[in-house]
Amino acid sequence: MKHAPLVDQLIHAFTCLPGVGPRSAQRMAYALLDRGREQGRRLGDALHAAMDGVQHCQRCRNYAEAELCPICESPKRDSSLICIVATPADVLAFEQSGEYLGQYFVLMGELSPLDGIGPRELGLDVLEQRLQGGEIRELILATGTTVEGEATAHYVLDIAQDAGVQVTRIAQGVPMGGDLEFVDGATLAQALKARRPFGS
Amino acid sequence: MKHAPLVDQLIHAFTCLPGVGPRSAQRMAYALLDRGREQGRRLGDALHAAMDGVQHCQRCRNYAEAELCPICESPKRDSSLICIVATPADVLAFEQSGEYLGQYFVLMGELSPLDGIGPRELGLDVLEQRLQGGEIRELILATGTTVEGEATAHYVLDIAQDAGVQVTRIAQGVPMGGDLEFVDGATLAQALKARRPFGS
Ligand SMILES: [Zn+2]
Ligand SMILES: [Zn+2]
């Protein structure tokens, strides 16, 4: 004897989510069945709508509901300035800063040959063509500082230099307004190495 | 600028699940969009099927896809012996032991007056009627040993004694085959108090 089959199917389906094991999946199924049927239906609708309706922007690879995302379509954004990020969440972080008026290229990952993620999987062949096209003035690197992030940054640097496009990288250092005691050693070392004249 | 609206809706819908905050919800949405669209659709289908198709057994309150669950419908199960448990997961645990041939009454919770969960919410009025009906020979208490579990056990004891029905409780003690060093103090104290003659 097990749960009612529909309950077991729901528990099993939840375990496809990252970080969800059999126990959390059971807890999720019970919560929706016991006091959240309407929420459960809404989640079901949202899943179908997103799985069927979300594609990738043909220009920047970010999530989009049309061929181009709103940022790539906007005439207000400088299309000669491209910021390279790993994920849609990074785009969100830049947009929330309100300081950036260029466009993006979203890799949807980082180079990781052992996992089968090479330049093609990140759309870097497409980026290379655009760099060769001559419309891009500056490429800003904002990939992570892990081994994969560094490898990705260097690959992008290579193809940009081949195309004669200027490459910059966002500054690494201590966060604004933070106490130094909460900053990790590697960040502090980098901040020290990249120190600049002050009080000129 | 935010995510594509369908992506934001999906992330928001995931946060209705227990233990899922905005960050995990985002990770779940990205995982399905990036490499699990088919799994996402299956989860959507499973949600709709369960939200619409799962009801409660009219006899034992466990999840069921018909008026009665398979256990309550089975002629092989002794309907004069009823085990009181808090959740459908507890039924599963008993069934997996393979030792129990009676039926169940699933409270779908425990008494918790501060949360508005009284006897009615646990179906204890229905259980009381069945106890008065005279078909039940023995009630086995298998609720938890928390404050709420104890309160629930004592409430059930009261209504069973009023109906003249015998009440037993599953034994508490050290788990079979476990090392004593992993057993908590309260369990060990209870095991000591409930010690029985050995080697007779
Ligand atoms: Zn775009
Ligand atoms: Zn039943």
Side-chain angles (χ1 to χ4, degrees), chain A residues 1 3-6 16 26 30 32 34 37 41 44-45 47-49 51-52 54 63 65 88-89 92 95 108, chain B residues 1 3-6 26 30 32 34 37 41 44-45 47-49 51-52 54 63 65 88-89 92 95 108:
Chain A
M1 287 288 173
H3 284 111
L6 291 176
C16 75
Q26 188 182 70
Y30 286 6
L32 294 180
D34 294 348
R37 301 245 175 169
R41 288 188 192 96
D45 290 340
L47 278 162
H48 280 293
M51 297 304 112
D52 295 342
V54 176
Y63 296 133
E65 290 172 28
L92 239 67
E95 292 298 295
M108 308 296 293
Chain B
M1 288 288 171
H3 282 113
L6 291 176
Q26 190 182 70
Y30 286 6
L32 294 180
D34 294 348
R37 301 245 174 169
R41 288 188 190 96
D45 289 340
L47 277 162
H48 280 292
M51 297 303 113
D52 295 341
V54 175
Y63 296 133
E65 290 172 30
L92 239 66
E95 292 298 295
M108 307 298 291

Side-chain angles (χ1 to χ4, degrees), chain B residues 57-62 64 68-73 104:
Chain B
C57 172
Q58 295 197 348
R59 202 171 155 82
C60 75
R61 307 185 92 225
N62 199 356
L68 292 183
C69 74
I71 294 176
C72 285
E73 244 185 358
Y104 299 92

Side-chain angles (χ1 to χ4, degrees), chain A:
Chain A
M1 287 288 173
K2 315 230 325 168
H3 284 111
L6 291 176
V7 179
D8 271 330
Q9 278 161 34
L10 179 57
I11 293 171
H12 181 76
F14 272 131
T15 60
C16 75
L17 297 172
V20 177
R23 268 195 180 263
S24 325
Q26 188 182 70
R27 201 153 48 96
M28 291 172 174
Y30 286 6
L32 294 180
L33 287 166
D34 294 348
R35 37 178 206 281
R37 301 245 175 169
E38 212 31 70
Q39 289 175 312
R41 288 188 192 96
R42 270 204 296 276
L43 176 56
D45 290 340
L47 278 162
H48 280 293
M51 297 304 112
D52 295 342
V54 176
Q55 45 183 291
H56 291 276
C57 172
Q58 295 196 350
R59 205 172 153 81
C60 76
R61 307 186 92 224
N62 199 356
Y63 296 133
E65 290 172 28
E67 287 199 3
L68 292 182
C69 74
I71 294 176
C72 286
E73 245 184 357
S74 166
K76 292 183 187 149
R77 309 291 296 236
D78 180 354
S79 63
S80 72
L81 182 64
I82 305 287
C83 182
I84 309 284
V85 295
T87 74
D90 299 332
V91 173
L92 239 67
F94 272 99
E95 292 298 295
Q96 274 156 13
S97 81
E99 291 293 320
Y100 183 64
L101 291 173
Q103 294 187 342
Y104 299 92
F105 190 82
V106 187
L107 301 170
M108 308 296 293
E110 289 175 332
L111 285 178
S112 182
L114 291 181
D115 301 315
I117 304 178
R120 255 194 116 79
E121 282 67 36
L122 303 181
L124 289 169
D125 48 342
V126 179
L127 179 66
E128 194 167 5
Q129 284 185 347
R130 275 183 64 191
L131 286 165
Q132 299 282 355
E135 304 153 37
I136 300 176
R137 176 173 51 88
E138 180 184 345
L139 215 59
I140 304 171
L141 287 171
T143 50
T145 51
T146 57
V147 175
E148 290 83 7
E150 292 292 342
T152 310
H154 281 96
Y155 187 98
V156 175
L157 179 65
D158 278 350
I159 60 175
Q161 286 182 331
D162 281 352
V165 173
Q166 188 196 354
V167 178
T168 58
R169 186 165 191 179
I170 55 169
Q172 295 169 344
V174 297
M176 302 283 290
D179 268 334
L180 276 197
E181 57 177 317
F182 300 119
V183 176
D184 67 286
T187 301
L188 213 50
Q190 166 62 23
L192 196 61
K193 211 169 97 189
R195 66 190 182 279
R196 299 169 59 179
F198 181 65
S200 60

Side-chain angles (χ1 to χ4, degrees), chain B residues 4-200:
Chain B
L6 291 176
V7 179
D8 271 332
Q9 278 161 33
L10 179 58
I11 292 171
H12 180 76
F14 272 132
T15 61
C16 75
L17 297 172
V20 177
R23 269 194 180 263
S24 325
Q26 190 182 70
R27 201 153 48 96
M28 290 172 175
Y30 286 6
L32 294 180
L33 287 166
D34 294 348
R35 37 177 206 282
R37 301 245 174 169
E38 212 32 68
Q39 289 176 312
R41 288 188 190 96
R42 270 204 296 275
L43 176 56
D45 289 340
L47 277 162
H48 280 292
M51 297 303 113
D52 295 341
V54 175
Q55 45 182 294
H56 291 276
C57 172
Q58 295 197 348
R59 202 171 155 82
C60 75
R61 307 185 92 225
N62 199 356
Y63 296 133
E65 290 172 30
E67 287 199 2
L68 292 183
C69 74
I71 294 176
C72 285
E73 244 185 358
S74 166
K76 292 184 190 152
R77 310 291 296 234
D78 180 353
S79 62
S80 72
L81 182 63
I82 305 287
C83 182
I84 310 284
V85 295
T87 74
D90 300 331
V91 173
L92 239 66
F94 273 100
E95 292 298 295
Q96 272 155 13
S97 81
E99 290 294 318
Y100 183 64
L101 291 172
Q103 295 187 343
Y104 299 92
F105 190 82
V106 187
L107 301 169
M108 307 298 291
E110 289 175 332
L111 284 178
S112 181
L114 292 179
D115 301 314
I117 304 177
R120 256 194 116 80
E121 282 67 36
L122 303 181
L124 288 169
D125 47 343
V126 178
L127 180 65
E128 193 168 3
Q129 284 184 347
R130 275 183 65 192
L131 287 165
Q132 297 282 354
E135 304 153 37
I136 299 176
R137 175 173 51 87
E138 180 183 346
L139 215 60
I140 303 171
L141 287 170
T143 52
T145 51
T146 58
V147 175
E148 289 82 9
E150 292 292 341
T152 310
H154 281 96
Y155 187 98
V156 174
L157 179 65
D158 278 351
I159 60 175
Q161 286 181 330
D162 281 352
V165 172
Q166 187 197 355
V167 178
T168 58
R169 187 163 191 182
I170 56 168
Q172 296 167 345
V174 298
M176 302 284 288
D179 267 336
L180 275 197
E181 57 177 318
F182 300 120
V183 175
D184 67 287
T187 300
L188 214 49
Q190 166 62 23
L192 196 62
K193 212 169 97 187
R195 67 190 181 280
R196 299 168 60 178
F198 183 66
S200 60

